[in-house]
Amino acid sequence: LYTRSGEEMEPHALEVVARQSLFPSEWVLVMFAALAAAPVLEELAFRGVLQPWLATRRWGGHAAMLGALALVVFYRGERFVTAWPEGIGPLLMAATPALFVLGLLPVYLLVWWRSRSPLGPAIFGTSLLFACIHTSVWPTPVPLFVLALGLGVLAQRTRSLVGPIVLHSLFNGVSCVQLLLEKAN
């Protein structure tokens, strides 16, 4: 896949699947993973365990933000090294996820400054951490960050993971429908 400027872009995981010829049983497994397994496991981990734990600590949001930056450096470190001798353009492309995290730092600091409790920074940090887990399929983390903010607020307001799991599954369902339509053409 390529951007409008002709630079190579990482394919989304489902786009990689769309290019492969899979057996029907493999399609069922891919759909199960996208529609059931990933939403349940990710919501349990991020909104069920991590977000509430971070929300009980004054430094929780800070730790999540630092963790998000560490994740993108870890995931993209090899790309930084290979892009370094190629010049500023390739280096900036390799650093885009890290720049995304750093670009959100002023917004996070505003949330932290305006919050009366650690909850707001914890939701923000957990959402960014969730997005950065998906850094390997850049630029997917950008909309996933927005989705994760909504999922975090929904989990907090309803005090349940049912809503976030269903919404996460519906979000993934849109990608699955696109994948099936793409495969049908």
Side-chain angles (χ1 to χ4, degrees), residues 18-40:
R19 287 190 237 137
Q20 299 173 353
S21 59
L22 299 177
F23 293 111
S25 59
E26 292 173 316
W27 278 104
V28 169
L29 288 174
V30 167
M31 294 301 156
F32 173 77
L35 298 173
V40 169

Side-chain angles (χ1 to χ4, degrees), residues 44-182:
L44 282 172
F46 285 94
R47 261 59 70 183
V49 175
L50 191 59
Q51 181 175 299
W53 185 78
L54 292 173
T56 61
R57 284 145 180 83
R58 184 180 311 257
W59 47 263
H62 299 342
M65 292 295 291
L66 187 60
L69 185 59
L71 268 175
V72 297
V73 169
F74 175 76
Y75 282 145
R76 307 282 285 207
E78 188 176 313
R79 290 178 189 227
F80 294 146
V81 172
T82 58
W84 182 262
E86 296 176 18
I88 192 74
L91 187 59
L92 284 175
M93 287 302 292
T96 304
L99 296 173
F100 173 65
V101 172
L102 293 174
L104 285 174
L105 187 57
V107 179
Y108 168 77
L109 291 173
L110 180 64
V111 168
W112 172 73
W113 182 64
R114 302 261 334 217
S115 292
R116 295 184 182 146
S117 75
L119 179 61
I123 291 173
F124 192 96
T126 303
S127 299
L128 189 57
L129 197 57
F130 173 81
C132 289
I133 289 292
H134 300 86
T135 296
S136 63
V137 288
W138 185 263
T140 304
V142 177
L144 286 180
F145 171 69
V146 177
L147 170 71
L149 283 174
L151 294 172
V153 170
L154 182 62
Q156 179 61 32
R157 290 213 173 172
T158 63
R159 302 207 184 277
S160 169
L161 293 179
V162 174
I165 289 171
V166 169
L167 188 58
H168 191 152
S169 184
L170 289 172
F171 184 85
N172 287 358
V174 171
S175 295
C176 289
V177 168
Q178 288 176 324
L179 173 68
L180 291 172
L181 290 174
E182 204 174 285

